[in-house]
């Protein structure tokens, strides 16, 4: 990759690159940002060319006190090949040549993957508060800029063809009474409460996209069974079993614990109980399935395998960022290391 400063006509190639990398926002019109940096002193845009095609950019600038780098981008299909490190190093060298003593980066708080990348390149998060004020009204939001970024996710599909050869699930001891019962015809509001509380930290967004009517049709279907575990009368977790494809298969559709009850030994019991419940019917399903992904609890895959499930397939796909898309609040503590 050859690196040079921006030239006339490069805008037509740079803007699509920034959009493909999810760097544009309604309040940062890319054409205006390019024009501003080219007209203002102390800044430039570096472009990386591969066989005559612009595949990478970085926008360094020096304000006389600190250096800043914006719009670090590498074409998505070429990411992970070292081009990002090279364009960033070129931006740092450009700043050094201006006499800049220190470089700063601003990373959006939901972009955890890029934060980890910069940390690997010796950048450190500092205890600073970033404040901003618009001196000029930002441009109106356009549909292209409103699209949420996509997350790379690996989905693992598992199944078991017969009940596990073990004793029935035995409940753990708890300091207060524990109960496990089926919720008959759960209301939408109650279901959303337990499903969102359990799933939001792991970015379970699909059910959030359902309308109330569509969700009601699923959770109140006679072939869908919801079991809630409570400790001292407080909901601690749930398992949802889907028998709509019987007798071919049953599915552990959802399983998880409330954040406050993770690590108390309740998970293995609830999962094994749900598996026993799925098999303990006549006729029994021909197979029991479940799936997990890289956004889920880091122990999820191992827990399913320990419970007797076998991996049958893995699929890599991109899904909309549920926080950026507005399905999950930014105030929720995201626990998944994959996000």
């Amino acid at each position: 990759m050859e690196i040079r400063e921006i030239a006339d006509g490069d805008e037509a190639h740079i803007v699509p690159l920034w959009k493909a990398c999810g760097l544009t926002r309604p309040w940062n019109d890319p054409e205006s940002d390019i024009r501003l940096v080219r007209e203002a002193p102390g800044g430039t845009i570096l472009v990386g060319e591969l066989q005559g095609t612009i595949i990478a950019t970085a926008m360094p600038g020096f304000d006389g006190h600190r250096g800043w780098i914006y719009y670090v981008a590498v074409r998505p299909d070429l990411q992970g090949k070292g081009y990002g490190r090279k364009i960033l190093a070129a931006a740092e060298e450009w700043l050094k040549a201006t006499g800049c003593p220190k470089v700063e980066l601003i990373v959006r708080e939901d972009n955890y993957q890029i934060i980890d990348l910069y940390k690997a390149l010796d950048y450190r998060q500092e205890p600073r508060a970033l404040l901003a004020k618009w001196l000029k009204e930002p441009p109106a939001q356009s549909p292209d800029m409103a699209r949420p970024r996509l997350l790379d996710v690996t989905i693992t599909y598992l199944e078991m063809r017969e009940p596990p050869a073990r004793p029935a699930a035995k409940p753990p001891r708890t300091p207060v009474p524990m109960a496990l019962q089926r919720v008959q015809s759960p209301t939408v509001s109650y279901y959303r409460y337990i499903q969102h509380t359990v799933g939001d930290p792991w970015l379970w967004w699909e059910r959030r996209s359902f309308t109330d009517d569509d969700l009601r049709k699923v959770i109140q279907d006679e072939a869908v069974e919801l079991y809630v575990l409570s400790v001292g009368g407080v909901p601690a977790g749930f398992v949802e079993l889907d028998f709509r494809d019987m007798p071919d298969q049953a599915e552990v559709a959802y399983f998880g614990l409330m954040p406050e009850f993770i690590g108390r030994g309740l998970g293995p019991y609830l999962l094994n109980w749900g598996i026993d419940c799925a098999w303990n019917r006549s006729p029994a399903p021909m197979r029991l399935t479940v799936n997990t992904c890289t956004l889920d609890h880091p122990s999820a895959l191992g827990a399913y395998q320990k419970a007797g499930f076998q991996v049958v397939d893995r699929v890599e796909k991109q899904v909309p960022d549920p926080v950026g898309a507005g399905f999950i609040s930014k105030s929720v503590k995201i626990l998944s290391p994959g996000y």
Side-chain angles (χ1 to χ4, degrees):
M1 182 178 69
E2 300 295 328
I3 299 176
R4 61 172 174 80
E5 291 198 41
I6 188 173
D8 292 343
D10 285 342
E11 295 91 335
H13 306 283
I14 293 174
V15 173
L17 172 64
W18 288 354
K19 290 183 177 180
C21 293
L23 298 182
T24 57
R25 291 295 188 273
W27 49 90
N28 292 127
D29 176 63
E31 289 87 354
S32 296
D33 283 353
I34 292 172
R35 184 175 63 255
L36 284 171
V37 75
R38 297 192 71 189
E39 293 175 351
T44 190
I45 296 177
L46 300 179
V47 298
E49 284 188 323
L50 189 65
Q51 298 178 345
T53 300
I54 294 177
I55 65 161
T57 65
M59 180 194 288
F62 181 39
D63 60 16
H65 181 63
R66 291 286 185 262
W68 298 86
I69 303 178
Y70 304 94
Y71 286 113
V72 179
V74 175
R75 206 172 73 188
D77 63 315
L78 295 175
Q79 292 175 1
K81 299 181 182 296
Y83 298 122
R85 293 173 180 263
K86 189 172 182 179
I87 196 74
L88 186 64
E92 292 173 354
E93 288 300 320
W94 187 94
L95 288 167
K96 285 181 184 179
T98 67
C100 174
K102 182 181 180 181
V103 61
E104 305 275 4
L105 287 167
I106 300 176
V107 180
R108 293 185 176 91
E109 63 179 359
D110 60 348
N111 198 352
Y112 297 99
Q113 291 175 326
I114 200 66
I115 291 176
D116 291 339
L117 172 63
Y118 284 129
K119 286 182 177 179
L121 297 176
D122 297 327
Y123 284 81
R124 296 177 300 174
Q125 282 187 271
E126 296 187 334
R128 307 288 188 269
L130 177 65
L131 295 90
K133 176 182 178 180
W134 286 106
L135 301 178
K136 181 180 178 181
E137 189 68 19
Q141 181 169 327
S142 68
D144 286 342
M145 294 180 182
R147 294 173 184 167
R149 71 188 180 104
L150 298 177
L151 302 178
D152 294 319
V153 175
T154 300
I155 303 174
T156 301
Y157 296 89
L158 306 97
E159 68 175 32
M160 60 172 67
R161 293 282 180 169
E162 58 185 13
R166 56 163 173 75
K170 185 177 180 180
R173 291 185 178 183
T174 56
V176 292
M178 183 178 69
L180 180 57
Q181 64 184 53
R182 181 178 179 183
V183 180
Q184 301 282 352
S185 295
T187 61
V188 169
S189 59
Y190 177 75
Y191 180 86
R192 288 198 186 278
Y193 159 66
I194 61 169
Q195 212 265 355
H196 297 173
T197 305
V198 170
D200 279 1
W202 315 109
L203 302 180
W204 293 2
W205 65 273
E206 291 90 345
R207 290 285 172 89
R208 276 189 170 272
S209 67
F210 283 26
T211 66
D212 285 354
D213 287 341
D214 289 340
L215 181 60
R216 188 178 296 107
K217 290 176 183 177
V218 174
I219 63 177
Q220 294 186 358
D221 190 301
E222 292 183 357
V224 175
E225 300 179 5
L226 178 68
Y227 296 90
V228 173
L229 177 72
S230 61
V231 178
V234 178
F238 77 100
V239 59
E240 180 180 329
L241 305 175
D242 190 341
F243 298 99
R244 288 178 293 178
D245 291 331
M246 287 285 284
D248 177 56
Q249 74 171 41
E251 179 186 15
V252 180
Y254 288 97
F255 151 74
L257 298 175
M258 299 287 191
E260 298 86 350
F261 290 91
I262 293 175
R264 300 189 186 184
L266 300 175
Y269 163 67
L270 180 58
L271 176 59
N272 287 330
W273 186 93
I275 291 170
D276 294 344
C277 181
W279 284 112
N280 189 23
R281 56 198 63 230
S282 183
M286 296 179 63
R287 62 186 182 131
L288 180 62
T289 65
V290 71
N291 69 75
T292 185
C293 75
T294 46
L295 299 178
D296 212 341
H297 191 290
S299 301
L301 178 57
Y304 290 134
Q305 292 176 306
K306 186 176 181 180
F309 286 97
Q310 302 292 322
V311 175
V312 293
D313 195 15
R314 282 191 173 92
V315 175
E316 295 184 359
K317 63 185 296 186
Q318 290 187 316
V319 300
D321 170 13
V323 177
F327 290 119
I328 295 177
S329 171
K330 292 182 179 180
S331 63
V332 172
K333 182 180 180 181
I334 305 300
L335 301 178
S336 172
Y339 180 71

